[in-house]
Amino acid sequence: MDQVLKEKLGRAQTIVLMGHVRPDGDCVGSVLALYLYLKKNEPSKNVTVCLEKPLEKFKYLSGFSEIVSDADAVQHPDLAIALDVSDKGRLGGFTALFDRAADQLNIDHHITNPHFAATTICDPSASSTCELLYTLLDAERIDAEIAAALYTGIVTDSGVFKYSSTSPRTMNIAADLIAKGIPFGEIIDGSFYRKTYVQNKIMGLALLNAVENADGTVIYAIISAEEQARMETVHADLDGISEQLRLTVGVKCAVLCSEMEPGSWKLSLRSLEPIDVAAIAMMYGGGGHVRAAGCTIVGKRPEEIMEEVVRAAEAQMHV
Ligand SMILES: [Mn+2]
């Protein structure tokens, strides 16, 4: 085990494991992996997972039902370990719990981490906190349940081994985890690809609504509030639609234009080289990354907005 982690654990009896608000797969995976590891290998310690209730889709993970969402469940922990928490504000309602711990450790992989904890282990070269956590633990003490949790975080944070954060080390660790006998196909479906009935229906509607522009290099789809109400979707059900549009042959810039509430339009933009969608989002006070960005626009018709966006993307292609 990593020396810093070992020393911190050695001095602590009551330990709380924490993550960030709206916990994603890497957060839930890393917190539960460490929880299961300590429960199995350090049974004399009193370990509690204090975390906002994660999405039901992660309930296949062992330890899921033992997650405590009450920030006052532990009064005076000897040690608080935050996982995948890139800045202190991301602790949300658990900030006070973190602050009253006698000792603190943050294990994270975000390059922007300001080292707000007493001790920070941060490796921005890791695809995920789960990848980093694996390197801190004793590999032979990782069983299938722990491996499933770590694999969940690696898969979700790397976009199933696709994002640029994926490295040969990511794949080697994933191979070690598969060797523990985990249901890796089911984990990928369950944590990343599976959609609800209405999520698939609204994706289908968006794809039907999609319009190609600028010789097929720009594609957009408009979804009104009325259409969303008819399908009884919530806004999170639109996740993944702009990414699917981006995968259209010939497309360099994809936009989902969805009505949040009457007259308020949210753009979700995805692109390939050379299009900088962050620059387009910034025209409307939004922002994001070069290849993935977003913004919200009030007071314009969606067709008018899309005309402007198409023109902006075309201008970028022709410089
Ligand atoms: Mn992460």
Side-chain angles (χ1 to χ4, degrees):
M1 184 186 266
D2 173 81
Q3 213 46 47
V4 173
L5 180 58
K6 196 175 176 175
E7 277 170 26
K8 292 262 173 193
L9 290 170
R11 276 178 273 149
Q13 183 54 39
T14 302
I15 301 164
V16 289
L17 306 181
M18 314 171 67
H20 57 73
V21 291
R22 293 181 303 280
D24 59 6
D26 191 30
C27 179
V28 184
S30 57
V31 167
L32 288 181
L34 185 55
Y35 174 65
L36 296 167
Y37 187 94
L38 293 177
K39 216 166 88 159
K40 289 167 193 206
N41 296 300
E42 309 271 353
S44 65
K45 308 250 185 230
N46 182 3
V47 185
T48 309
V49 175
C50 288
L51 187 65
E52 195 175 292
K53 195 178 179 324
L55 295 172
E56 281 291 302
K57 68 175 179 178
F58 296 118
K59 68 169 186 274
Y60 64 86
L61 292 169
S62 299
F64 185 89
S65 62
E66 288 151 60
I67 293 172
V68 175
S69 297
D70 174 9
D72 295 318
V74 183
Q75 275 314 311
H76 299 289
D78 300 321
L79 174 64
I81 304 181
L83 294 120
D84 202 41
V85 179
S86 60
D87 70 72
K88 201 169 176 187
R90 302 268 291 153
L91 285 166
F94 296 91
T95 308
L97 171 59
F98 190 77
D99 282 341
R100 65 177 182 262
D103 196 9
Q104 304 164 331
L105 175 63
N106 185 12
I107 300 173
D108 184 39
H109 70 121
H110 296 91
I111 195 161
T112 53
N113 191 302
H115 292 225
F116 62 87
T119 305
T120 301
I121 301 174
C122 184
D123 179 1
S125 77
S127 67
S128 50
T129 297
C130 281
E131 177 178 329
L132 170 59
L133 180 59
Y134 176 90
T135 67
L136 305 179
L137 304 177
D138 293 330
E140 67 276 10
R141 293 188 169 180
I142 293 174
D143 65 10
E145 287 183 335
I146 300 164
L150 292 172
Y151 196 77
T152 295
I154 292 173
V155 158
T156 51
D157 253 30
S158 71
V160 192
F161 310 110
K162 185 172 87 164
Y163 303 149
S164 59
S165 59
T166 308
S167 70
R169 180 179 70 174
T170 313
M171 305 310 286
N172 285 327
I173 291 172
D176 291 349
L177 296 174
I178 285 177
K180 303 283 183 183
I182 57 170
F184 51 87
E186 178 52 31
I187 291 173
I188 290 174
D189 278 351
S191 66
F192 198 82
Y193 288 116
R194 188 163 291 134
K195 288 181 171 288
T196 64
Y197 179 67
V198 292
Q199 284 166 352
N200 273 326
K201 296 276 276 187
I202 196 88
M203 163 99 67
L205 180 71
L207 300 182
L208 269 175
N209 288 356
V211 186
E212 275 190 334
N213 287 271
D215 296 323
T217 56
V218 182
I219 192 167
Y220 67 76
I222 298 169
I223 303 182
S224 67
E226 190 273 325
E227 286 170 314
Q228 294 172 66
R230 182 152 42 84
M231 293 207 166
E232 299 183 358
T233 55
V234 295
H235 216 82
D237 292 326
L238 305 177
D239 285 359
I241 295 177
S242 53
E243 176 64 11
Q244 184 60 43
L245 290 168
R246 187 188 66 86
L247 289 168
T248 311
V249 172
V251 161
K252 303 257 184 247
C253 179
V255 189
L256 175 68
C257 179
S258 55
E259 196 174 12
M260 304 283 284
E261 49 196 80
S264 172
W265 296 89
K266 185 184 170 188
L267 302 194
S268 170
L269 303 113
R270 296 290 182 277
S271 68
L272 293 176
E273 261 189 67
I275 303 298
D276 176 356
V277 282
I280 297 175
M282 273 189 268
M283 296 179 355
Y284 303 103
H289 307 278
V290 175
R291 305 280 174 252
C295 57
T296 303
I297 301 152
V298 181
K300 280 186 178 177
R301 288 181 306 106
E303 295 79 10
E304 189 185 339
I305 299 165
M306 284 303 101
E307 216 171 279
E308 291 172 1
V309 168
V310 171
R311 245 184 285 133
E314 274 187 301
Q316 285 192 21
M317 275 181 274
H318 295 142
V319 286

